[in-house]
Amino acid sequence: MSEGRQFIVRLLEGVTAFFLLLMAVLRPLASGNLLGLGDTIYVSLPVWFALVSWLLRCVAAGRLRVFQAGGDAFLLLLVFLVLLSPRPPADLNTALPSAMVWATNVLYLYLVVNVGREARFARWILAALLATGVAITVYGAIQAAIEIPEMQRSIVEDPSYLQDQDPETIDELKARALSARPYSSFVNENSLAGFLALLAFPLLGLV
């Protein structure tokens, strides 16, 4: 391989890692309750840009090699069961964003496994995830100390501010206030706990 082609390959690897790093920061900090396909596509764009740059890197290198990510058989079985489903989705406005999120998550997994075989790129992505985890944890602590108590007081002392909301939103706000559990930038506290639990293992590896 010529020096010029090697430079292009390294450049495209760096571009791919940059988009994966951007996604590691953007997705957890974005609203977990995306309301439409357009918003979901917008948040998922870094992963699809990473796919394009990675494929261009493969073209420049003259070969396409995809390393397994683990759980490949399970993912194939899941796709097979979805394709066998005899019932169409009841609401496409809900189904399409969900399908986009799942496709993006699987694609992100495979790209991280393949790009992360270069140690320095793996360190970049891991550092971005850990920094995001710290930011989310700090926000959750502020939420528990300030925002949720303020929401509780507002509901008790001045419930009129909920009058302009639809019944589903009112029930959601009341449930969040009464639970007193922080959820940070996620939809609920279980999603927050799951994300932080995933970060616990690489964090222990750095200790």
Side-chain angles (χ1 to χ4, degrees), residues 178-206:
L178 293 175
S179 70
R181 292 193 294 265
Y183 46 89
S184 192
S185 61
F186 291 84
V187 175
N188 55 54
E189 61 275 9
N190 292 331
S191 299
L192 171 63
F195 180 76
L196 294 179
L198 289 175
L199 293 182
F201 295 100
L203 184 61
L204 289 174
L206 295 177

Side-chain angles (χ1 to χ4, degrees), residues 61-104:
R63 66 175 182 174
L64 174 63
R65 186 178 182 185
V66 180
F67 293 95
Q68 293 183 342
D72 304 85
F74 170 76
L75 292 174
L76 289 175
L77 177 61
L78 179 62
V79 171
F80 179 70
L81 292 176
V82 169
L83 294 176
L84 283 183
S85 176
R87 298 179 58 186
D91 185 4
L92 284 177
N93 291 329
T94 302
L96 289 178
S98 297
M100 175 62 74
V101 169
W102 275 95
T104 301

Side-chain angles (χ1 to χ4, degrees), residues 4 24 43 46 55 62 65 68 83 87-89 102 120 128 133-134 137 141 147 157 169:
V43 174
L55 290 176
R65 186 178 182 185
Q68 293 183 342
L83 294 176
R87 298 179 58 186
W102 275 95
R120 59 194 176 105
V134 171
T137 301
E147 291 186 6
E157 298 173 3
T169 302

Side-chain angles (χ1 to χ4, degrees), residues 5-26:
R5 178 172 287 189
Q6 288 178 351
F7 172 77
I8 293 175
V9 169
R10 289 195 298 269
L11 177 63
L12 290 171
E13 284 178 345
V15 170
T16 304
F18 168 76
F19 282 122
L20 294 178
L21 185 151
L22 184 62
M23 186 64 178
V25 174
L26 177 63

Side-chain angles (χ1 to χ4, degrees), residues 80-206:
F80 179 70
L81 292 176
V82 169
L83 294 176
L84 283 183
S85 176
R87 298 179 58 186
D91 185 4
L92 284 177
N93 291 329
T94 302
L96 289 178
S98 297
M100 175 62 74
V101 169
W102 275 95
T104 301
N105 289 343
V106 172
L107 178 59
Y108 188 81
L109 169 64
Y110 277 91
L111 286 173
V112 166
V113 168
N114 284 269
V115 176
R117 297 182 74 84
E118 183 76 27
R120 59 194 176 105
F121 296 144
R123 288 195 295 269
W124 292 358
I125 296 170
L126 178 58
L129 283 171
L130 292 177
T132 304
V134 171
I136 286 174
T137 301
V138 170
Y139 176 46
I142 294 173
Q143 207 172 51
I146 300 174
E147 291 186 6
I148 292 179
E150 180 63 30
M151 190 184 303
Q152 292 172 338
R153 285 193 296 270
S154 298
I155 291 176
V156 173
E157 298 173 3
D158 184 23
S160 61
Y161 88 104
L162 295 175
Q163 290 179 353
D164 296 334
Q165 305 292 335
D166 60 84
E168 185 176 349
T169 302
I170 292 175
D171 292 341
E172 176 69 19
L173 289 174
K174 287 182 177 180
R176 288 177 184 271
L178 293 175
S179 70
R181 292 193 294 265
Y183 46 89
S184 192
S185 61
F186 291 84
V187 175
N188 55 54
E189 61 275 9
N190 292 331
S191 299
L192 171 63
F195 180 76
L196 294 179
L198 289 175
L199 293 182
F201 295 100
L203 184 61
L204 289 174
L206 295 177

